[in-house]
Structures are given as structure tokens and as C-alpha cells.
Amino acid sequence: MAEKLLDPRMTTPSNLKNSVFQNSPLRLREAPALVLLLVIIAWMFLFKSTFRSLENIGQIGQQAGILGIMACGEALVILTGGVDLSVGAIAAMAACVAGGRMSAGMPWQLAVICGLGAGLAGGWINGALITYRKLPPILTTLATLLGFRAFTNIITGAVPYTPLSAGFGKIASSYGPIVSFVLVVVVLATVLARVRFGRRIVAIGCNEQAVRLSGISTDAVIRRVYLLSGLLAGAAGILISGASNSAQWNIADGYELNAIAAVVIGGVRLSGGEGSIIGAALGAIILVTMQKSLFLYGRPQEQYGLVIGAVILLAAFAEQFRRFRESKN
Amino acid sequence: MTNVNSRFKMAFRLPVETGVIALLVVISLWLARTFPSFHTGANISDIFSNCSETGIVAAAMTLVIATGGIDISVGSVVGLCGVILGTLTVNHSWSLYTAIPITILAGAFCGWINGTLISRFKLPPIIATLAMFSAARAGAYVLSGGDSISGLPDALTNLGYGSWMGVPISVWIAGTILVLMGILLKKTRFGRQILSLGGNRVAAQLSGVNIMRTEASVYVISGMMAGLASIIVTARGATAVPDAGQFFELRAITAVVVGGTPVIGGRATMIGTALGLLTMRVVQNGVTLYKKDGMWENLVMAVVLLLAVEVDRWRRTREMKAS
């Protein structure tokens, strides 16, 4: 606690200023993630010719885009000191709403908006339970993880919606994920660094009480953060269903853990208040690139967990080391 | 407020298990009224014996949550230990007397890794156990090659289906573990240290608690119990499968929280955990009786979880007003 108060980064509202302009690039929170990504990419480019194919890079872009969108929403929540375990379930819910509308003949643009609406509704339920009812985030989203998934299963009767709209499928399986990912990262990174709402998100993660006492409605900010997380999870789910041309209740199963892992690998502090959207995006790209590399080396999918577990630990140790060095200064 | 007045109100203080008791009674009465088959001996025995695996894991999870931590790796550790048990007994034809302790030790080892990362290297519990969650599940697949291992010794399968004094052996084991953990938590120095650690880490350290050792031990116990649960899972399933124990962590955490243990730590109730487990099983049983899909269980459980937390909030506000 004392260490947290003495830490100049915790007391100055702008960690962007400190991290980008005052310290060397290697001291950036995102530096370990960036180095790791560059090492993996360099290794794969040098030693695996299949990695260099355009098709492979396109696949990485698509998958990283989908996971990245989700991880950005999760990062916002984690920056406030909360956690959203329901992102995978919300993704499935939104995908099924959008898929259902599409297969009912609605134009895909409208159907996607309906799906995003479902994502927002899921996020709103989380936010409302957490702020109006003051329930702990981990419990609330654990309950909604079970609830949304079950709700989607029951409503759809566990029957997949397929085929979806061809026009949307073409977009979602080509440039859709990566373009929306870049858009989300640019917007959210700017909001977090430059916009009042974004600064408040980080501030709440540092010291919620201080923010509340300075006259800001922390609950309103937190509600919007969960709303955004739901929206982005919904977008990711709709893209997943579009890319695979089928919307089912069990898509994005376990993605909440992948999203949290991406956020942690990207150097966002799990207790909130420190980290960036860029980091979360990098984390998502690292996770997907690593999975793809393991796949190219012919490793079975079951073994990915070992490596991902190790990388999460590595990221956590990097964070620990950084904090240790900071406390010495 | 006079002393007499406050004491009068103290007499009406509700136990922490109020929420779970209320929900359990309401749901059970409802089911008993609707379905005569609900309160038959066979059904009730079924409810109890289906809680046993989760019960063992949830007992240890209560200790972990009491320290303010969380262990999301237990399900994967159950899978890994089950595969270890299967490999040792079937492929290496070890006797059960050596294979079972080794299985529990393997669980304890996973827990020790978690505990060391959390207590010595100060990683957040959710991260350390998230890494173990991925790694142990992958380990189970690597060790088994993705296949299920059948042809387990008969003694093991008998353990899964045997009963003593009319009660299944798995229920005896789970019940014993729950009682032992309850005594450990409330009646021993170690248990009080766990609670003080969860309540106020700095105060606990200043009052001479070896917080590093206490915290690590809790995760070791959690891993050991996952190992023990894996034996029952394997025995009851008669095969060792690498994806055994999936969602155990979710069920155990739900049972603990529904039972009235706050996730921030410092307070815990083992009776609540046992009642929480029963509630989950009764809900599941009700879903089956209504001939609904298994997914309804999760939906109802989500509502039960939120309701339990709400009742707990109401109880605390009431207490605060009284004092």
C-alpha cells in the first residue's frame, strides 16, 4: 500500500506522459510483450517457410483481430480493477442474435446491429448488477457467464444458425476482423490516453475512493466500461460466427480466459490502474501468433496450454520485476 | 442506543448461511410439492453422491477463498491426476496402494507450484492458477495422448460404486473431508491464521503469522484435494479421461459463494459450502425432474448465485442497522 502511494506513476494521472516521453522505450509496460512478439515473429520468419505465406499471415490477422477486440474490452474492465468473465458467453449470445436475424432474412447490416445490441444488453446487466446492486465483479460475471451461455443455448434450442449472409461472411472472413480491431485499438487507446472518460477509467483503477471523493460518479464510469466490454465481446462473437458461417450457442467457449491472458501478457496490472490498450492488443497478437506457430510445428492443440501457461507466468514475472525495480528507485 | 437494546437485537443476528438455507428450503419444498419422486430415498441418495467430487474440491476452495485468493486450476488438476492414476495403474500396473498416494502427491505438487508462485513470487492468485489451469489440462492431454484410459483395477471401480452402512463410499470421503476442513478452519491455529490472513494481511504478519507458509499451504491443500477428487471421479467413471474435472472450479467457487463465504476473504463457513453444494445438486435434480435440458441448470444456478449474494447483503445491512 505504502509502495503504491509513493509510486509517482500512481499519483500522476497521466501514465502515458511518464511512460512514453520520460523513460527509455525499454521501460514501457508494453516492452516485454513487444520484445516477445518480435522474437517469435523473427524466429518463425527465419525458420518456418509456411509461416511466411500470405494465407497464414491472413489467418493470424483474422484470429488476432477477433481475440484482440475482446481483449480490448476486457482490458478496460481490468483497468478499473474489475474483471469480466462473461465475455465469451456474451459473444455467443450476440452471435446467435445476429445469426438468427440473418437466417430469418434480415439484411446483414441490421442483423449485426441487433447482435451488437444483445452484446450491449449483456454488458448493461453486468454493469447494473455491479454498480446498482454493488455485487463483486468476479461473482456477477461468473453468474452471467453461466446465465448468458445457458440462455443462448435454451433460446436457440442448441441448433446452429447456418448458413449466414454471404455478404457478411465475405467481410468477416477477410478484412473485417483486422479492420475493426485496428479501429477499436486506435479509438480506445486515444480515449484512454486523451479523453476524460478514459482518464477516469485509469484513475478508478488506481484509487476508486479518491475519484469518487473528487466528485466523479465512479458508478457511471464503471457501468459504461462493462457496457463497452459487452459491446466489444458481442462484436467479436459476430465476427467469429461470420468467419465460420455458423452461429451456435457454444462459440467462443473459454475465450474469457484467453482474453484475460492476453490482457495480462500485454502488461496490464490485474488490480487495475496501470496498463494500456496497446498492451492488450499486443497480448492478443502474441497469443494467436504462438498458437499458430505451435500449429505449424505440428504440435497437437492440446499442448498449447502448456506454452500459454508458461507465457502468462513469464508476463507476470516481468510485471513483478518491473514493480520491484520501481520500488527500489 | 442502550446496551440492553443492542443486545436484544444481537439475539436476532442471522447466521451467514441464511441465504443458502432459505434458498435450499424453498427450492426443496417446491420440488417436493411438485414431484412426489423428489423425496424418495433413492433420489436423495443420488443427490448426495453426486456432490461428492465437487464437495472435496469445494472444501479446499473454501480455505483458498478464506485467504482472499482463488484457485481456478482445480478442474485441470483433477484431469491431470486422473490421467496419472490411470497411467500408473493400467500402463505400469502399479498397485492401488502406491498409485493413490502418488496421485494425491501429484495434486499436492501442482498446488505447491501455485502456492510458491503466489506466496513467494507474489503473483496474483488468479494469474498463477490461470497458468496452472492451462498447463495441467495440457499435461493431462500430453500424458494420455488424448485418449481415455480404461481397464482400471476392479478395486478402484468398486470404490466408486461401493457403499458402507447404506451410504456410498464417495459420500463418506467427501463428508469426512468437509468436516475435517471445517474443524481445521474454525478450531485450529492454522485455520485462524488462514482467516486472519484473509482479513488483514499486514495485521496477520505483524502478529506473527508466517503468511508465506500459510498461504502456500492453502494451495497445497487445494491441489491435494483435487488429487483426491480425481480418484473418485476416475473410480465413478471407470475410465481416466484427460478432460475430466472440467468446470469443477466454477462449480466449487459457486458452491462456496452461494454458501455465504465472501470472496474478499477473512470469513468463511464450511457448513455454508456444504449447503451450497446441496443447493446446486437440488437445482440440478429439479431441472432433471422438469425434464429440461442440462443447460437450465446453469441458468437457474446463475440466478441462485445472485440471489444468495443479495440475501447476504440484506443480512449484513440488517446487522449494520442493529449495531
Side-chain angles (χ1 to χ4, degrees), chain B residues 37-90:
Chain B
S37 62
F38 177 76
H39 47 96
T40 54
N43 192 44
I44 288 167
S45 146
D46 197 49
I47 289 176
F48 274 97
S49 63
N50 277 327
C51 317
S52 49
E53 302 105 331
T54 335
I56 295 170
V57 172
M61 186 69 82
T62 314
L63 301 188
V64 173
I65 293 182
T67 66
I70 199 152
D71 187 351
I72 54 175
S73 70
V74 282
S76 300
V77 174
V78 167
L80 177 63
C81 290
V83 169
I84 289 176
L85 179 69
T87 318
L88 288 180
T89 50
V90 177

Side-chain angles (χ1 to χ4, degrees), chain A residues 129 133-136 139 142-143 145-147 150 153-154 249 257 264 270 302-303 305-306 309 312-313 316-317 320, chain B residues 117 121-123 126-127 130-131 133-135 138 141-142 250 257 293 295-296 298-299 302 305-306 309-310 313:
Chain A
L129 288 170
R133 304 305 307 155
K134 295 267 176 282
L135 302 183
L139 279 189
L142 177 67
L145 155 76
L146 296 172
N153 174 291
I154 291 161
W249 69 278
L257 290 180
V264 171
L270 206 70
E302 292 80 46
Q303 295 182 7
L306 279 174
I312 295 173
L313 279 187
F317 277 122
Q320 226 52 50
Chain B
L117 291 173
F121 296 102
K122 303 273 178 286
L123 294 189
I126 194 165
I127 294 299
L130 176 66
F133 168 87
S134 298
Y141 275 101
V142 171
L250 276 184
V257 171
D293 186 73
M295 268 294 149
W296 279 90
N298 286 352
L299 193 62
L305 180 63
L306 292 176
V309 180
E310 279 295 309
R313 249 166 52 90

Side-chain angles (χ1 to χ4, degrees), chain B residues 26-37:
Chain B
V26 168
I27 299 171
S28 304
L29 283 180
W30 172 263
L31 288 175
R33 203 184 68 99
T34 323
F35 300 101
S37 62

